[in-house]
């Protein structure tokens, strides 16, 4: 719930060029929930994050014990950064050209959420990350309707 409120709130800090096109370029809620909530979590948390932890455990830890906390957090942060960077093409399509301010905003805002979803995946499983991601989109959407 807090993630959805945060998602709505950060929209107020978006660079002007993104805020100007936000309304006409609205992705349907079902697409945000299904693609964002399920596909991105499968690709980035279950896929990339798991592979990064496994590689560190296998190569650096020599398959001994459970993966060290530093490798887990490394995988969470790297997958979150790539999650943030993965949103740059959509932002560029919205505004036509990426500026430094826009790129920093898109990557950093999405990285924060990627860290949250990565933590949930690590501690509670893929379902928790999927539900949190989908729910964040739903809450943000509902709040934007109520506020507008």
């Amino acid at each position: 719930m807090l993630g959805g409120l945060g998602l709505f709130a950060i929209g107020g800090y978006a660079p002007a060029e993104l805020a100007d096109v936000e309304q006409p370029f609205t992705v349907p809620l079902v697409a945000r929930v299904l693609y964002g909530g399920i596909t991105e979590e499968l690709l980035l948390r279950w896929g990339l994050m798991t592979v990064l932890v496994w590689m560190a455990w296998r190569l650096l830890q020599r398959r001994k014990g459970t993966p060290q906390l530093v490798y887990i957090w490394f995988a969470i942060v790297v997958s979150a950064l790539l999650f943030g960077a993965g949103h740059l093409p959509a932002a560029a399509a919205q505004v036509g050209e990426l500026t430094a301010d826009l790129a920093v905003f898109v990557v950093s805002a999405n990285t924060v959420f990627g860290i949250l979803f990565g933590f949930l995946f690590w501690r509670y499983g893929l379902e928790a990350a999927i539900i949190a991601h989908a729910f964040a989109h739903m809450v943000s959407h509902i709040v934007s309707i109520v506020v507008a």
Side-chain angles (χ1 to χ4, degrees):
M1 184 107 134
L2 289 175
L5 294 173
L7 185 59
F8 174 78
I10 63 170
Y13 298 100
E17 63 265 40
L18 186 60
D20 291 343
V21 295
E22 191 63 35
Q23 286 298 3
F25 191 81
T26 303
V27 177
L29 179 60
V30 69
R32 287 184 277 172
V33 168
L34 293 177
Y35 181 78
I38 297 172
T39 305
E40 288 178 345
E41 294 308 315
L42 284 170
L43 290 171
L44 290 152
R45 260 46 84 178
W46 184 73
L48 179 63
M49 191 176 137
T50 300
V51 166
L52 291 172
V53 170
W54 177 80
M55 286 174 49
W57 172 78
R58 183 172 170 89
L59 300 173
L60 302 173
Q61 229 178 283
R62 309 257 193 251
R63 297 188 252 177
K64 294 184 176 138
T66 60
Q68 293 178 16
L69 194 57
V70 66
Y71 302 139
I72 293 168
W73 276 105
F74 172 78
I76 289 171
V77 170
V78 168
S79 65
L81 283 166
L82 290 173
F83 173 69
H87 287 82
L88 288 173
Q94 279 183 291
V95 299
E97 182 181 342
L98 279 178
T99 63
D101 288 345
L102 180 59
V104 168
F105 175 79
V106 168
V107 173
S108 60
N110 284 290
T111 297
V112 169
F113 283 100
I115 290 170
L116 170 65
F117 302 143
F119 173 79
L120 290 171
F121 170 64
W122 166 52
R123 297 298 294 165
Y124 303 105
L126 182 61
E127 296 87 353
I130 288 172
I131 290 168
H133 195 148
F135 201 65
H137 283 296
M138 288 188 290
V139 169
S140 175
H141 181 74
I142 291 166
V143 171
S144 68
I145 290 171
V146 170
V147 171

